[in-house]
Amino acid sequence: MKLSVHVCEECGNTSVPARLICPSCRAVGFRKEEIEGTGSVYTFTKINISSVEFKHLTPYYVVLVDLISGERVTGRIKEEIQINDKVELVDIEEGAYIFKKCG
């Protein structure tokens, strides 16, 4: 699944999610690009107990994923994982990136 990133038209810095001002050069012009949603787990934490609105998801993992294109995004994954596991984006639910293990 592809993921939208916002690319500064002045310096080329990429942002996920969208920003109003580029953190690198302070420009305000952006264009959207689609990138592959695959990468590796940088770090994670397992959520065993959560608030009422997320109780139906527990247990689950909150992950930081280094995408192959260089961006780092936060997401959620249901299956057990380790650092450096390969993952891919499979869905976006209410703004949350949902990943699964590759292979």
Side-chain angles (χ1 to χ4, degrees):
M1 180 174 184
K2 299 270 188 184
L3 174 73
S4 290
V5 296
H6 302 271
V7 181
C8 176
E9 292 181 339
E10 294 294 320
C11 72
N13 184 57
T14 58
S15 297
V16 179
R19 297 182 187 268
L20 297 176
I21 299 172
C22 176
S24 293
C25 72
R26 315 276 299 150
V28 296
F30 292 89
R31 69 180 183 281
K32 283 178 98 172
E33 287 185 8
E34 299 287 313
I35 61 170
E36 289 297 323
T38 57
S40 61
V41 175
Y42 174 75
T43 192
F44 66 90
T45 188
K46 185 175 183 180
I47 308 298
N48 289 301
I49 301 171
S50 68
S51 58
V52 173
E53 56 267 65
F54 297 108
K55 187 175 182 177
H56 67 286
L57 298 172
T58 57
Y60 65 94
Y61 295 84
V62 174
V63 294
L64 278 179
V65 175
D66 285 335
L67 299 174
I68 58 173
S69 56
E71 290 79 13
R72 182 174 287 163
V73 296
T74 303
R76 193 170 68 219
I77 191 167
K78 195 72 171 146
E79 55 204 317
E80 194 167 311
I81 52 160
Q82 296 297 319
I83 291 173
N84 293 324
D85 279 354
K86 303 297 182 210
V87 294
E88 64 182 330
L89 182 68
V90 293
D91 200 5
I92 301 173
E93 293 177 0
E94 298 177 16
Y97 299 120
I98 310 301
F99 289 91
K100 74 171 187 174
K101 283 174 78 169
C102 295

